[in-house]
Amino acid sequence: MTEPVGLHFAHARAPGKINVFLKVGQLQSDGYHELATAFQAVSLYEDVRAYPAADFSVSFSGSIDTTALVTDGSNLAIKAARLLAKKTGYRGGVRLEIEKNVPIAGGMGGGSADAAATLVACDALWGTAASRDELVSLAAQLGADVPFALSGGTAIGTGRGDQLSPALAKGRFHWVLAIAEFGMSTPEVYSALDRHREKHAQDIYPATLQPVVDTEVLQALRAGDARQLAEALHNDLQAPALGLAPGLGRILELGEQMGALAGIVSGSGPTLAFLVPDADSALELQVALSASRLTALRVTGPVHGARLVQEW
């Protein structure tokens, strides 16, 4: 059994993500859908600071409103810390302070980034020396997006999205995010997609087919070609998300009118990601969207996954 000794502090950071491609297949017996997705980690980060404690607790700060977040045992970061302690036999606890910058319930995997950074921070704080494979295994138990938040970069996800294989990606892609003032429930968006498919079962793509990532996406990423990637962006959850929040469609149109190569709903929404050719175009679009009273952020990808920033 590992005793509660070691560092006084550990700080880890993990990125949010954009699904540049998302195909949703059949609903599985475990309650998840079969997916084929291309993830890109982007430069909007969650920071987790971990301190020794007798029990497990979490508090939040950051650039976004965190008042709606739970801080009890149902919080994903707390679950991550408890899971690592159980796996390694660690007998103490941890006090987590999380600085949030990724939109909450925004389709960018902020909660998953919290969990991934917590695994890295607690492993360092406690000196439990878990291998990368062990951390990935724990991440997969916590949620479908947590393994990618741990690995970062650009990757293809299958299964629930947690079976990852690296994707070759050249150069840097520039994005402008339009941040909504509300969140969306991922299960609700998936349910809306299921209802639509059931209603139009005779007319649309059959969800029983094995979803795959289009080769055009892989070619665009490999070439580092933003214009080619813009032509290949796809998200099966975009239509149901726009159905639940019609105002997002008008913002998509606005962003493309203002110079974006293409816009896409990120994950299950409501964050919108606009792909632009370069840094200058990103700044111009951010200014234009801000002038329309929208919250807009510039990010780039791909970036590294969860990693240790500081310890003492």
Side-chain angles (χ1 to χ4, degrees), residues 172-175 224 226-227 259-262 274-282:
R172 178 179 295 180
F173 291 89
H174 295 267
W175 301 88
R227 294 183 185 278
L261 297 174
F274 293 100
L275 183 59
V276 293
D278 50 42
D280 290 341
S281 301

Side-chain angles (χ1 to χ4, degrees), residues 39-43 152-154 169-173 175 300-304:
F39 294 108
Q40 185 163 101
V42 295
S43 56
T154 305
K170 178 182 178 183
R172 178 179 295 180
F173 291 89
W175 301 88
T300 60
V303 300
H304 59 78

Side-chain angles (χ1 to χ4, degrees), residues 39-88:
F39 294 108
Q40 185 163 101
V42 295
S43 56
L44 189 61
Y45 298 100
E46 302 282 85
D47 284 274
V48 174
R49 293 170 174 84
Y51 302 87
D55 204 348
F56 295 83
S57 65
V58 63
S59 60
F60 296 99
S61 62
S63 60
I64 54 182
D65 183 6
T66 62
T67 53
L69 293 176
V70 296
T71 56
D72 59 16
S74 65
N75 180 273
L76 198 58
I78 294 288
K79 289 183 177 180
R82 288 187 184 276
L83 188 61
L84 179 64
K86 182 179 179 181
K87 170 70 176 178
T88 60

Side-chain angles (χ1 to χ4, degrees), residues 18 103 106-108 175-180 182 184 235 238 241-242 245-255 262-275 285 289 294-297 299:
I18 295 170
M108 292 191 66
W175 301 88
V176 177
L177 306 176
I179 309 299
F182 59 92
M184 294 186 77
N235 181 2
Q238 179 158 308
L242 296 182
L248 296 178
R250 292 189 288 275
I251 299 172
L252 275 174
E253 292 175 3
L254 181 64
I264 191 170
V265 171
S266 179
S268 57
T271 304
L272 302 177
F274 293 100
L275 183 59
L285 181 57
L289 290 173
L294 296 168
T295 300
L297 301 174
V299 298

